[in-house]
Every structure is written in structure tokens, then in C-alpha cells.
Amino acid sequence: MKNTYLNKSYRDLSQKYPHEREFLQAVHLFFNEIEPVIDLHPEYQDQAVLERLVEPERAISFRVPWVNDQGKVKVNTGYRVQFSSVLGPYKGGIRFDPSVNLSILKFLGFEQTFKNALTGLPMGGGKGGADFDPRGKSDQEIMRFCQSFMTELYRHIGPDLDVPAGDIGVAGREIGYLYGQYKRLQGPKPGVLTGKPVILGGNESRPPATGYGLIYFLKQMLAETGQDLAGKTVMISGAGNVASHACRKAQELGAHVVTLSDIDYAIYDPKGIDLELVIQLRDDPQANLADYSKRHPQAQVRAQSVWDLAIEADIALPCATQNEMNHKQVKRLLNKGLGFIAEGANMPLTAEACRVVKEAEIPYAPGKASNAGGVAVSGLEMCQNAARLPMKPDQVDQRLQEIMTHIFSQCKEASLRYGGGLNYAFGADIASFEKVVEGLLQLGVV
Ligand code: NDP
């Protein structure tokens, strides 16, 4: 970065929060991309635009005591980072994972603010969670944890204030328990959470929306180069919500998906992933992904990162977690002919891996654009709850396709406008920054 205001803002931030590695990484990547806009607007410095955008409006942390099945009291730390309400109520998921800390939630809340701006729906950005590990916990333990978590969180959220949803370790079951406790404390207000089971006011199209939206974005990227998904070899990491739905939609459109993974294992099936079997193994507490090769002996299951598998693929879809793919892994894939990367996870590439991708100049979709389908459909769930009028799932999927097309166009248009060619990461950061800043400046000094 050459711009002195950007440099100073980043330096001040890194001195203030030196241990917030993931947050600083997200801000640094973003600052690099928006440099031409800052160059054009020296007045932003007097308005402290950058300083205001990198400091969350509010960050709450709280104790979450709960009782395990053996009657022992356990204590975790819960958080909610209300990053920005410039464009609407805070909106963003809740993550239950032992790695959760303020740095990770601030990076996710920062990204969410700009992602939500791209959807065109009136939503600000936030993120929350706890350092609770749901793996191996019984249903009762999960319920007790969710109830305790919400017993503190409820006072900070509301349908017009802050609307959490799921993320890693939090899906329909957890959202149901969280809403159950919220309802006991505040009465029935289904609009306070999204990703709810359908019977509680959710929409069938919400769980698949992030994975499907990712594939809709990818389709546009391919079309831009005169190609389509049919016959393409695709590597996907993860086996959770985003990965499994991305796999399903890619297979529906004729792609040859050859990998999926979890935290312990990577599956490579040269004949194409048997998604139903992976879901069955994932959801069975007595099984693990290593059992895949019992039914499909041609498949390899390795206790290593999926990105270390030495295989050839046209497209990589990282859909597990942040910093899952490093520069060596990206280089190896590029050497084997990789042509496209689209992020289902948030910031799955390390900073060094991003540099390698940029230099290679392959089409690359950043998570804040390509995984925005989930929050977009959450926005539609908020509308249906406010109107008390359920929307049909196919109607929602149609809207999702339109929103992903609109996000793609914004990324392309902003990148071309600033002379970046077809650089979707550059375009996504510029287009979203312009929107948030426009709103921020009209609010006065807030
Ligand atoms: P899930 O909990 O449903 O699935 C996560 C998957 O990633 C699991 O297969 C998990 O394995 C694996 N995983 C988790 N941590 C690691 C790790 N450290 N190394 C390797 N694999 C890991 O989460 P989601 O699918 O909902 O979320 C995945 C990503 O997508 C996250 O980055 C999330 O922020 C992002 N995202 C999710 C959205 C949503 O709508 N859910 C919306 C937008 C972005 P295991 O089961 O063994 O733990």
C-alpha cells in the first residue's frame, strides 16, 4: 500500500490489536484492494472513515456456564460482535468452535459488513459465537449450552436490532434451541434468528443457500470465459452445510466433484463423490469419513488436508474454514492446471496464498461475494417473518439466483471501472466499500 492514510490506519490498528491475527489479515487484504478509492477521496481522512469502519460499534463477551451429562459444571466464553449497523440491523452467524476468539469474530464481522452490503438488502454486519466444541456432545448437552448462551445474548439482539444465524457448529437444531430460550425470555418473535427450522418460521431454501449461491456465482465466472460446469473436475473441502450443498448443486449441473473432507480426513473419489454416503457418515456419531472407502474401495481417504492431495482439478471450492489453504498448496494446484477458485468459506486462503492467486491471474471469487447467498436468503427469511407470510422455497431460490447475479455484476463493474480487469476480489471490496461509506457519511459522525 502506498497511500499514507491507508498505511497509517493499518499501522495504528496493528499496534492497538497486535494479537488479532485474523482480524488484521482481513483488514490488510481489504485495504490493499480499496487503495484506488482512497486515493480519489483524500477527504475521507478528515472524516476518519477507515478508523470508524475497522472499530466494531460494540463487542460483547460473556460467561456461558452449563452442566454436562456427568453433572459437571463447564464454562465457556460467548461473544457477539456488532460490527456495523450503517445499512441495517446487525446480521451475521453464530459459530461454536474451540478456536473462537475475538480476533476471529472481528474478522468475520468485518467481512460480513461488506458482504451484506453486496446483497443489496438492508442489513448491517455482525458475528458471534463461543469457544464451545459441539463435537461428541449429546443432544441434551447441546440444548443446555444453547439455553445458557441465549440467557445472556437475548438482551443484546432483536428482530430490528441484531439477527444472528448459523455458522460452523450451528445449524437448524442449535437455532431451534436458541430460539426456544429466546422465546421463553422475550416472547415469540421469530424474526430474531434466521436459519430456523421451517415449522418455526424458517424457509427450506435457507440451509442450501450458501452452497447453492456459491455455485450460481461460479457459473457466472465460468460463463464469462465461455465455459460451463458440465464435465469440470471440482475439489471441495469440508463436509458441512456449505460444502455438502455446493457439492449437490455442482453435481446437479454435471460437474465431477472428486473430494470432500472434515477436520480429520480428506476423501478423494476419482469416480465422483457419493454425497449421500458422506452425509450419512458425517451425521452418524458411531462412524467417520474413513468408512467411505469400505463402500467405495477405489476412493482414497487420507488423514491430511484435502489441499495436499496431489490431484488434477479445474476448480477448487474451499468450504471449511479460514486459512485452510496455503500458498504451497495453491501453487501445486495451479501447476496441475487449476483454473478457478471460488470461496465458500470466509477467508479460506492465507494472505500469501491470495498473492499467489493474484499473480496467476485466474478467476477467483472472494467469500464476501461468492458465499453471500446464505445471508441473502436470511434477509428474505427476515422479510417473511416481518410480513408473517411464508415464501415458497422455489420463489426464494429464484430470488437467490437473481441476487447472486447482481453481486457478480457489481464485482465485475467495480473492477472494470477501476481498471482491474476481471478481478472479482478487487471489485467486491470496492463495490461494498463504496456502499458502506456512502451510508456512513450520510449518518453524520457516528
Ligand atoms: P459446518 O460446521 O456445517 O461445516 C464445517 C466443515 O468444515 C465441517 O466438515 C468441519 O469438519 C470442517 N472444518 C471445520 N474446522 C476445520 C478445520 N480447522 N480444518 C479442516 N476442516 C474443518 O459449517 P458451515 O458449512 O456452515 O461453514 C463453513 C464455512 O463457510 C465457514 O468459513 C463459514 O464461516 C462459512 N460460511 C457459512 C455460511 C452458512 O450459511 N452456514 C454462510 C457464509 C459463510 P468437522 O465436521 O470434522 O468439524
Side-chain angles (χ1 to χ4, degrees):
M1 287 181 291
K2 293 195 187 85
N3 184 287
T4 51
Y5 177 39
L6 275 170
N7 265 316
K8 181 181 179 318
S9 305
Y10 184 74
R11 205 175 44 246
D12 290 351
L13 191 73
S14 50
Q15 280 167 3
K16 198 167 173 187
Y17 302 113
H19 305 300
E20 297 189 350
R21 196 170 54 86
E22 294 83 1
F23 177 52
L24 292 173
Q25 180 184 339
V27 172
H28 195 263
L29 284 169
F30 190 79
F31 276 13
N32 264 313
E33 302 290 25
I34 60 166
E35 185 155 19
V37 188
I38 301 296
D39 285 342
L40 274 184
H41 291 281
E43 74 277 13
Y44 285 177
Q45 184 158 11
D46 285 344
Q47 294 289 334
V49 162
L50 297 175
E51 293 86 336
R52 286 196 270 165
L53 290 183
V54 296
E55 190 64 38
E57 289 177 19
R58 194 172 297 103
I60 299 137
S61 113
F62 49 94
R63 183 172 65 202
V64 189
W66 57 283
V67 182
N68 75 6
D69 286 347
Q70 287 70 48
K72 274 197 163 173
V73 177
K74 300 278 177 186
V75 179
N76 287 94
T77 309
Y79 305 88
R80 186 71 185 165
V81 177
Q82 297 180 328
F83 217 103
S84 168
S85 58
V86 167
L87 299 182
Y90 309 103
K91 181 86 196 89
I94 291 179
R95 179 177 290 192
F96 290 164
D97 191 83
S99 65
V100 163
N101 58 35
L102 204 51
S103 169
I104 288 181
L105 295 178
K106 279 174 69 179
F107 119 64
L108 289 165
F110 180 76
E111 288 285 294
Q112 193 82 47
T113 299
F114 297 100
K115 177 189 311 190
N116 294 1
L118 288 174
T119 67
L121 298 169
M123 299 183 290
K127 203 81 187 188
D131 58 353
F132 169 74
D133 190 354
R135 295 175 192 92
K137 300 289 188 299
S138 71
D139 199 52
Q140 292 298 304
E141 288 176 319
I142 298 280
M143 183 182 73
R144 288 195 290 271
F145 181 80
C146 288
Q147 289 178 340
S148 181
F149 184 84
M150 186 53 85
T151 301
E152 175 60 32
L153 185 69
Y154 85 94
R155 65 191 90 234
H156 308 291
I157 62 176
D160 295 313
L161 174 64
D162 183 351
V163 183
D167 191 74
I168 292 179
V170 176
R173 175 183 61 165
E174 291 74 21
I175 295 288
Y177 293 151
L178 289 164
Y179 179 54
Q181 184 67 358
Y182 181 87
K183 199 164 75 60
R184 289 166 83 188
L185 296 163
Q186 291 292 85
K189 295 181 192 172
V192 72
L193 288 160
T194 59
K196 296 179 291 298
V198 175
I199 193 74
L200 301 178
N203 192 289
E204 246 173 77
S205 290
R206 173 59 186 93
T210 307
Y212 285 13
L214 171 66
I215 301 301
Y216 297 149
F217 193 98
L218 174 66
K219 262 178 69 179
Q220 305 267 343
M221 264 164 71
L222 285 158
E224 201 60 42
T225 62
Q227 303 181 60
D228 71 21
L229 251 180
K232 292 274 185 302
T233 301
V234 180
M235 292 178 76
I236 302 181
S237 62
N241 175 297
V242 180
S244 60
H245 290 106
C247 179
R248 186 178 309 283
K249 184 55 77 180
Q251 288 179 334
E252 257 176 51
L253 297 176
H256 186 56
V257 180
V258 291
T259 66
L260 281 177
S261 66
D262 67 7
I263 204 159
D264 299 314
Y265 297 103
I267 303 172
Y268 167 52
D269 188 342
K271 286 195 173 166
I273 286 287
D274 176 348
L275 180 61
E276 298 318 316
L277 177 59
V278 172
I279 292 173
Q280 198 184 315
L281 297 173
R282 178 196 73 185
D283 294 344
D284 178 354
Q286 311 305 325
N288 61 51
L289 292 196
D291 297 331
Y292 184 94
S293 51
K294 288 184 192 157
R295 284 262 291 278
H296 296 290
Q298 78 281 0
Q300 297 171 23
V301 184
R302 299 250 172 89
Q304 66 181 111
S305 162
V306 75
W307 307 120
D308 281 330
L309 297 171
I311 56 180
E312 287 175 15
D314 303 304
I315 298 167
L317 305 178
C319 294
T321 193
Q322 67 274 354
N323 290 325
E324 59 171 287
M325 195 191 261
N326 65 35
H327 64 288
K328 288 187 190 148
Q329 294 164 331
V330 171
K331 273 187 188 161
R332 192 179 317 117
L333 289 167
L334 289 169
N335 287 337
K336 286 190 165 289
L338 186 78
F340 297 83
I341 299 178
E343 297 181 344
N346 287 305
M347 203 171 72
L349 272 62
T350 63
E352 193 60 25
C354 286
R355 262 193 292 279
V356 171
V357 172
K358 207 170 184 177
E359 279 163 26
E361 292 184 352
I362 61 163
Y364 159 62
K368 74 165 66 66
S370 50
N371 74 26
V375 74
V377 170
S378 275
L380 301 180
E381 187 177 329
M382 287 164 74
C383 295
Q384 87 174 18
N385 292 154
R388 298 213 171 90
L389 204 58
M391 289 170 83
K392 293 202 178 86
D394 51 350
Q395 207 183 340
V396 174
D397 188 65
Q398 185 56 38
R399 285 293 306 277
L400 171 64
Q401 295 191 43
E402 288 162 14
I403 291 170
M404 295 314 294
T405 303
H406 178 57
I407 294 175
F408 180 83
S409 311
Q410 291 173 79
C411 297
K412 182 176 158 185
E413 183 279 322
S415 179
L416 292 174
R417 182 157 43 90
Y418 276 89
L422 285 181
N423 182 338
Y424 304 112
F426 179 62
D429 285 348
I430 287 183
S432 58
F433 177 70
E434 286 179 334
K435 286 189 170 187
V436 177
V437 172
E438 187 187 342
L440 181 75
L441 294 177
Q442 295 196 31
L443 288 168
V445 179
V446 293

